[in-house]
Amino acid sequence: MSADILAIETSCDETAAAVVRDGRDCLGAAVSSQIDLHARFGGVVPEIASRSHQEVVNLIIDEALAQANLLLSEVDAVAVTRGPGLPGALIVGVAAAKALAYGAGKPLIGINHLEGHIFANFFTFPDLAPPFVALVVSGGHTLLAYIATPEAYEVLGQTLDDAAGEAFDKVAGYLELGYPGGPILEKLAAEGDPGAINFPRAMIKTADYDFSLSGLKTAVLYYVTKKQAAGEDLNLPDLAAGFQAAVIDVQVYKTVKAAEAKGAKTVVLAGGVAANQALKDRLGAEVAARGWRLFAPPLGLCTDNAIMIAAAAWPKWLRRDFLALDAEPDPNMKLGRYRAGLNCRR
Ligand code: KG4
Ligand code: ZN
């Protein structure tokens, strides 16, 4: 049975809405980015995010419906990101979705934001099928998951402190290069020598699938302070390349190790940091060398959007896995239980 699902995403600093048919065909999509509002603070300010979502959420929903040439009464369900994310930001999308679902008499579907990032790949690649290992790397999350069958997420490991995107943002912020740091540092790194400065590869040797990125940030800070104290010039491209290589090395190593341990011959990249070409190239080379396949979404579907939320809602719509209208946002929503062998918690 076919379904047009309207999805809303407000977990962080993008207000997004989309209408997607059967999890595959995007009929309309709109995104309002708050980057300019947060840039001068060097990171997302939760109160500003929440207020900005409130200001534009209805316009963005209307825009997505208008592009799809559909009225609210013509969609089959309303999906929304329920968590994880900023509480004050999530509540705007959840309240809007509940109001629309109630007003139009449509079922409500709650989606985990990280599941959404993974579904950006299902949306993009019709031939993607489990089992696979997914590296989900964004501004708020860094985790490795094993997906044995659709929608069953076994979280193998995650960051113990900063997320990968957060590390990019903090290093760029410290160097006063702007926000968000990922694209800025990647551009600089392309001109630099990744071997010129050797930053620590934290936890690369540990037997788990966890990550730690806050020490790397401190190492960069320490390096910069030392150079400045000695009155020496900073080579920003080398610095960016060295930092980026340290992040990528650990992520690629642990992702490949996880896929080997699980016997998965498919690897999936997801989240804002998946926009990083150097990461895609390195992981792609390791995966190809083993005769495996790597999937990564196009740029616009790496960072936050509502197409991925609508795509994740499709199997739930088929199963009639609906959310009660008194459901609350879940800012700490888990993708699956931490540590191997347990099924997804919804
Ligand atoms: O998925 P996303 O839009 O939001 C969250 O769910 O967090 O990810 C945003 C993050 C930011 O930290 C940004 O710096 C990072 O993704 N990012 C990148 C690149 N593009 C965006 N990091 C590294 N390289 C990039 N090219
Ligand atoms: Zn995200």
Side-chain angles (χ1 to χ4, degrees):
M1 213 192 328
S2 183
D4 295 338
I5 298 178
L6 167 67
I8 302 165
E9 153 66 44
T10 65
S11 68
C12 191
D13 61 346
E14 328 279 345
T15 317
V19 183
V20 175
R21 178 166 293 168
D22 302 347
R24 288 265 180 247
D25 300 322
C26 180
L27 307 182
V31 182
S32 167
S33 172
Q34 305 175 1
I35 281 178
D36 294 346
L37 294 176
H38 300 291
R40 67 193 168 104
F41 300 104
V44 177
V45 182
E47 290 79 5
I48 294 177
S50 179
R51 193 176 329 131
S52 173
H53 285 309
Q54 288 176 47
E55 281 165 10
V56 302
V57 71
N58 288 331
L59 291 171
I60 291 297
I61 293 166
D62 286 349
E63 169 66 21
L65 284 169
Q67 277 181 25
N69 205 13
L70 289 173
L71 299 169
L72 176 63
S73 58
E74 292 172 313
V75 304
D76 296 284
V78 181
V80 66
T81 304
R82 200 178 169 200
L86 302 170
L90 287 166
I91 203 165
V92 178
V94 170
K98 288 201 286 193
L100 295 179
Y102 179 68
K106 306 291 178 185
L108 180 68
I109 302 173
I111 300 297
N112 182 304
H113 181 77
L114 303 174
E115 181 175 30
H117 275 302
I118 292 170
F119 263 81
N121 283 286
F122 282 117
F123 173 82
T124 309
F125 306 105
D127 59 335
L128 170 62
F132 59 78
V133 162
L135 173 66
V136 185
V137 268
S138 72
H141 306 275
T142 293
L143 63 82
L144 264 171
Y146 176 60
I147 291 90
T149 55
E151 298 178 275
Y153 304 97
E154 179 190 332
V155 177
L156 303 170
Q158 58 195 354
T159 181
L160 304 179
D161 38 59
D162 292 350
E166 189 179 359
F168 275 91
D169 295 340
K170 284 183 174 168
V171 166
Y174 180 67
L175 297 170
E176 296 181 359
L177 295 172
Y179 174 84
I184 299 168
L185 287 173
E186 179 178 18
K187 218 166 141 216
L188 268 172
E191 310 294 323
D193 172 5
I197 310 166
N198 192 21
F199 288 119
R201 271 70 172 153
M203 296 184 76
I204 199 161
K205 292 271 183 283
T206 55
D208 51 40
Y209 299 106
D210 290 331
F211 303 90
S212 169
L213 287 132
S214 69
L216 174 58
K217 174 192 65 194
T218 313
V220 173
L221 230 124
Y222 182 70
Y223 175 87
V224 172
T225 316
K226 222 173 78 185
K227 277 270 175 196
Q228 282 168 341
E232 291 173 34
D233 282 344
L234 276 180
N235 183 326
L236 278 181
D238 282 354
L239 186 66
F243 161 76
Q244 183 175 267
V247 175
I248 291 176
D249 268 4
V250 185
Q251 297 198 342
V252 169
Y253 182 82
K254 292 216 165 177
T255 305
V256 169
K257 198 173 89 166
E260 265 164 1
K262 288 290 178 186
K265 294 187 168 26
T266 301
V267 173
V268 162
L269 251 183
V273 184
N276 189 288
Q277 193 59 45
L279 170 62
K280 260 188 289 194
D281 289 348
R282 270 288 310 283
L283 190 55
E286 295 291 337
V287 161
R290 288 164 176 79
W292 305 342
R293 286 185 75 187
L294 174 71
F295 292 86
L299 282 190
L301 292 177
C302 287
T303 46
D304 290 348
N305 65 89
I307 295 173
M308 67 188 195
I309 304 302
W314 165 239
K316 294 181 175 44
W317 189 85
L318 286 176
R319 273 203 317 276
R320 299 287 183 267
D321 184 358
F322 300 142
L323 206 56
L325 283 176
D326 61 357
E328 303 280 346
D330 184 354
N332 299 311
M333 196 173 184
K334 297 283 177 275
L335 181 61
R337 286 199 197 134
Y338 191 51
R339 291 295 170 214
L342 300 164
N343 283 332
C344 169
R345 195 191 79 186
R346 269 192 210 98

